[in-house]
Amino acid sequence: MIIETAQRTRQTSEYYFSVKLAEVRKLIAEGHDVINLGIGNPDMMPSVETLEALTTAAYQPQAHGYQPYTGTPAFRKSVADFYYRTYGVTLDPNTEILPLIGSKEGITHISLTFLDPGDEVLVPELGYPAYRAVSQMVGAVVKEYPLREDHGWQPDWHAMESLITPKTKLMWLNYPHMPTGAPATQELFEEAVAFAKKHRILLCHDNPYSLILNKKAPISLLSVEGAKEVAIELNSMSKSHNMAGWRMGWLSGAKEYVSAVLTIKSNVDSGMFFAMQEAGAKALGNSAEWHSERNAVYQGRLEASEALLRTLGCTWDDKQEGMFLWGKLPDSTESAEALVNSLLVEKHVFIAPGFIFGPKGQRYIRLSLCLPKERIWQAVERIKG
């Protein structure tokens, strides 16, 4: 006898990478050397100071007990200092910051906090699949908003006016944008805040890529005057600090929003391991030179990835930021799915098809910069061969 699962399991499909990586593992088990350019899994190390802080803190007697739901004061202060130093944004470490076990869980906590069944959520037509999946899991209605390819993949604010109804409650935004690499701009954030205020919706900005291959000073949505009235920002140490497996992130916003999310979160999990928070606080103090050195490595990988796209006949926007490269397929290529499958089976090179991020990605592919440049060049040679 098998007990029937809940309805939400039937309206949410298994994450694409979960399925595809099983194929990758099968090929590896058969003895093939698969070059995986599909996943954004940082392969470089955290700073030495971060690891030293982790080790030292782990030996403290109080390190292994339960920690506060709101995180340690030292970690929250380090986030506030990081925001002021990096973005020029002032946050109250006691009331406007909530540590998360990775910012991905924040998507779920925010949705559980603010959405009732039938509420409508604005989700970009190309974006992180979790925005859509979690909205559906909590019973909300997903409405895709258009991104203008001819305008740097920015939201089409005029078209979005027609999507607003009395049930519209929340909007997801993510710049630098994944998967297109479209950069964040102050003008974009000002338009987003004005739109949210006009329609009285909660604006949720996901900001994990602002320090990677950024061509200008990184910015935060919360730098816009009055943003805290209508916005929450998620941020993460996964990409920017090479700590993806640590599951460390936070959300920032007005005290009222943070307290509301805490009501849900405190019933779901507990505080992060003390030693991780101590190490995270140290990591958030990494020097500008540390980040520059990592970006120099990413730049070398970007150049190799551009050569790979060139080999496939793709075109791309050279203004992209973040840890991926988004390429448009030539007309001569049948489809992204066919290309991805043939490269995996015949060349043992795995790349991500654009359609997993939304229907508008049908003629696109995405490359991750999370492998040494030598491996990416090896993939180029395989494809040429």
Side-chain angles (χ1 to χ4, degrees):
M1 181 180 70
I2 301 297
I3 304 300
E4 186 176 0
T5 61
Q7 177 64 31
R8 69 179 61 89
T9 66
R10 296 187 286 279
Q11 65 187 22
T12 303
S13 58
E14 187 177 357
Y15 196 36
Y16 174 87
F17 285 123
S18 173
V19 176
K20 210 64 182 175
L21 288 178
E23 296 179 34
V24 171
R25 287 191 295 271
K26 182 173 183 292
L27 286 169
I28 293 173
E30 293 170 353
H32 300 292
D33 175 28
V34 179
I35 301 176
N36 186 349
L37 298 172
I39 305 295
N41 185 15
D43 63 319
M44 290 186 275
M45 292 280 283
S47 66
V48 172
E49 294 81 2
T50 300
L51 299 177
E52 290 175 344
L54 176 71
T55 303
T56 300
Y59 280 96
Q60 295 184 29
Q62 77 275 21
H64 302 279
Y66 287 117
Q67 300 301 314
Y69 292 108
T70 55
T72 63
F75 182 68
R76 293 197 310 272
K77 183 179 185 303
S78 72
V79 172
D81 291 344
F82 172 79
Y83 254 65
Y84 185 76
R85 185 175 65 252
T86 305
Y87 307 118
V89 171
T90 300
L91 296 173
D92 185 334
N94 295 316
T95 61
E96 295 185 328
I97 297 167
L98 181 62
L100 301 170
I101 305 175
S103 62
K104 187 175 183 179
E105 77 152 0
I107 299 171
T108 300
H109 290 320
I110 289 170
S111 299
L112 287 170
T113 302
F114 292 100
L115 296 174
D116 287 320
D119 284 343
E120 294 173 356
V121 182
L122 299 179
V123 172
E125 63 180 348
L126 276 173
Y128 188 34
Y131 306 146
R132 171 190 294 274
V134 172
S135 298
Q136 292 172 332
M137 280 193 285
V138 301
V141 177
V142 172
K143 285 193 167 182
E144 289 187 348
Y145 64 83
L147 302 179
R148 291 182 55 187
E149 182 180 5
D150 62 345
H151 194 56
W153 299 105
Q154 303 292 297
D156 187 336
W157 300 107
H158 178 72
M160 287 169 63
E161 292 287 341
S162 65
L163 298 177
I164 296 293
T165 77
K167 296 290 289 181
T168 308
K169 188 71 177 291
L170 189 150
M171 173 181 172
W172 285 103
L173 192 74
N174 159 231
Y175 289 88
H177 184 247
M178 195 293 297
T180 70
T185 67
Q186 196 69 26
E187 179 185 7
L188 164 66
F189 286 167
E190 289 172 358
E191 287 184 295
V193 170
F195 184 85
K197 286 185 175 182
K198 177 182 178 180
H199 296 291
R200 298 181 62 83
I201 60 176
L202 182 65
L203 180 61
C204 299
H205 182 236
D206 194 8
N207 190 23
Y209 300 108
S210 62
L211 297 184
I212 301 176
L213 290 180
N214 47 305
K215 296 176 172 60
K216 58 186 181 310
I219 58 176
S220 161
L221 179 79
L222 299 180
S223 66
V224 175
E225 185 176 357
K228 288 181 186 177
E229 298 172 24
V230 292
I232 293 174
E233 183 163 85
L234 293 171
N235 215 321
S236 167
M237 305 189 73
S238 295
K239 312 297 195 294
S240 56
H241 294 78
N242 298 329
M243 298 168 70
W246 295 49
R247 309 313 303 136
M248 297 189 72
W250 62 86
L251 63 80
S252 307
K255 173 184 177 181
E256 294 77 9
Y257 296 145
V258 170
S259 297
V261 176
L262 179 61
T263 301
I264 296 296
K265 179 176 165 58
S266 61
N267 283 284
V268 175
D269 55 44
S270 299
M272 287 184 286
F273 179 36
F274 174 81
M276 287 172 53
Q277 295 189 69
E278 290 291 285
K282 181 63 71 172
L284 287 168
N286 284 347
S287 67
E289 290 74 22
W290 186 88
H291 288 285
S292 295
E293 289 170 3
R294 273 76 204 158
N295 275 329
V297 174
Y298 279 125
Q299 182 62 38
R301 297 173 177 188
L302 176 63
E303 293 166 4
S305 296
E306 289 175 338
L308 194 153
L309 288 186
R310 196 175 297 115
T311 301
L312 293 172
C314 295
T315 54
W316 65 93
D317 187 339
D318 60 8
K319 295 188 291 293
Q320 294 182 45
E321 297 180 357
M323 64 192 313
F324 302 102
L325 184 60
W326 181 247
K328 188 172 187 176
L329 298 175
D331 293 339
S332 57
T333 298
E334 175 189 349
S335 68
E337 184 172 21
L339 176 64
V340 168
N341 289 336
S342 67
L343 287 178
L344 180 58
V345 173
E346 298 170 17
K347 306 294 185 180
H348 302 135
V349 173
F350 176 51
I351 60 176
F355 63 76
I356 68 174
F357 306 107
K360 202 164 188 174
Q362 288 287 350
R363 298 295 302 171
Y364 289 85
I365 55 174
R366 191 198 71 174
L367 306 181
S368 166
L369 306 182
C370 295
L371 278 183
K373 65 179 181 181
E374 293 80 9
R375 289 287 279 167
I376 303 175
W377 281 114
Q378 187 179 357
V380 172
E381 294 305 314
R382 284 189 192 179
I383 294 169
K384 284 182 178 179

